[in-house]
Amino acid sequence: MRRLLWYYVYREVNILDKSMVGLNERIKELRTILNLTQTEFGARLGLARNTIACYEAGTRVPNDATLKLICRTFNVDYFWLTEGIGEPFIEMPETTLDEIILEYDLD
């Protein structure tokens, strides 16, 4: 939930046009939303800081396994990360009640 709050706060002040943002920029945007350094982001993924820097600069492209690892580790939507479609974070229920509400589409 905390990540979602950060995203919505960040989105309000973000001046980037989402349709123009590439994979490298979405990786950097994700890291910024999570308030992590390149070193911290890489450490959580088991990658070196310079690898993350190359992804963000667009000089290297992460393979599919790395993209899926980013999604699993940070609860990120795969299609947002790869294509820029939808919202960055997958909403995860915090309690059993939240899970039931999501499962049965209750408001």
Side-chain angles (χ1 to χ4, degrees):
M1 194 62 146
R2 187 170 153 201
R3 281 185 256 170
L4 287 173
L5 178 61
W6 267 104
Y7 168 71
Y8 288 112
V9 168
Y10 179 77
R11 187 172 78 173
E12 293 301 317
V13 296
N14 187 4
I15 59 171
L16 293 174
D17 178 6
K18 298 291 186 208
S19 64
M20 300 298 288
V21 177
L23 173 62
N24 61 322
E25 292 169 325
R26 281 189 296 277
I27 291 172
K28 183 174 183 174
E29 181 179 4
L30 172 63
R31 183 179 61 75
T32 304
I33 290 169
L34 296 171
N35 198 29
L36 297 172
T37 65
Q38 290 177 338
T39 303
E40 293 167 336
F41 189 81
R44 292 194 185 179
L45 299 169
L47 301 172
R49 185 211 59 82
N50 64 332
T51 301
I52 302 303
C54 288
Y55 290 163
E56 291 181 1
T59 57
R60 289 182 63 185
V61 178
N63 61 27
D64 197 51
T66 302
L67 293 173
K68 289 178 181 176
L69 177 63
I70 291 170
C71 292
R72 273 194 318 271
T73 303
F74 299 109
N75 197 35
V76 172
D77 184 85
Y78 181 81
F79 292 107
W80 176 82
L81 184 61
T82 59
E83 304 294 329
I85 298 170
E87 297 295 324
F89 294 103
I90 299 169
E91 189 173 330
M92 297 296 291
E94 292 184 11
T95 66
T96 305
L97 181 58
D98 291 335
E99 190 173 336
I100 292 169
I101 289 170
L102 284 174
E103 183 177 342
Y104 293 101
D105 196 28
L106 304 172
D107 278 327

